Amino acid sequence: IENNSISSSWNYFRNWDIEWENYHHIINPHTNRNENEIKMVTIVSDKTYFSDSIATAVFNMGIENAIKFLNKNDIDWLVIWENAKAYFTKWFTKKYNFNKKYEW
């Protein structure tokens, strides 16, 4: 990818188990909890500050709200959901030469 930034947020690192519940470093400010429905968000943008902040914010929205928000704002995105399926914008496969498996 040229002249763009790729930023991802995920819960694979910086996580821990406390009393049989998994926690990670991204907290939903509305609930003060971790939302674990989304496993990874990747945003592609021409501005690094934008892609990084959106990736973190979207991580705690839940899959339905995240996809609505990303599509409404014409953001290039890839999301790995808790069921290990990858969802992404319809043009992601062509624009970034990404192997198509699931499309939202």
Side-chain angles (χ1 to χ4, degrees):
I1 296 176
E2 294 181 18
N3 300 318
N4 279 304
S5 170
I6 301 172
S7 298
S8 294
S9 287
W10 57 58
N11 64 1
Y12 305 132
F13 300 108
R14 293 195 287 175
N15 63 5
W16 55 95
D17 290 325
I18 299 173
E19 296 182 15
W20 300 280
E21 192 168 343
N22 184 265
Y23 295 88
H24 56 84
H25 68 288
I26 301 175
I27 304 294
N28 182 330
H30 299 291
T31 64
N32 288 327
R33 297 190 47 82
N34 295 131
E35 308 298 339
N36 292 310
E37 184 178 47
I38 293 175
K39 299 302 178 188
M40 186 206 60
V41 176
T42 297
I43 304 295
V44 181
S45 172
D46 61 341
K47 295 174 179 60
T48 304
Y49 69 86
F50 179 81
S51 60
D52 186 51
S53 61
I54 293 298
T56 303
V58 164
F59 193 89
N60 274 319
M61 288 184 181
I63 193 70
E64 296 290 330
N65 289 332
I67 290 172
K68 286 178 189 176
F69 172 83
L70 293 166
N71 285 338
K72 178 181 176 186
N73 292 288
D74 293 324
I75 298 170
D76 292 346
W77 57 273
L78 165 71
V79 173
I80 306 293
W81 194 19
E82 66 184 349
N83 61 9
K85 290 186 179 180
Y87 298 96
F88 40 87
T89 51
K90 292 181 180 183
W91 58 86
F92 204 90
T93 55
K94 293 177 187 146
K95 191 172 181 180
Y96 302 113
N97 196 24
F98 183 78
N99 285 334
K100 180 179 177 181
K101 188 170 183 182
Y102 297 96
E103 190 175 280
W104 190 271

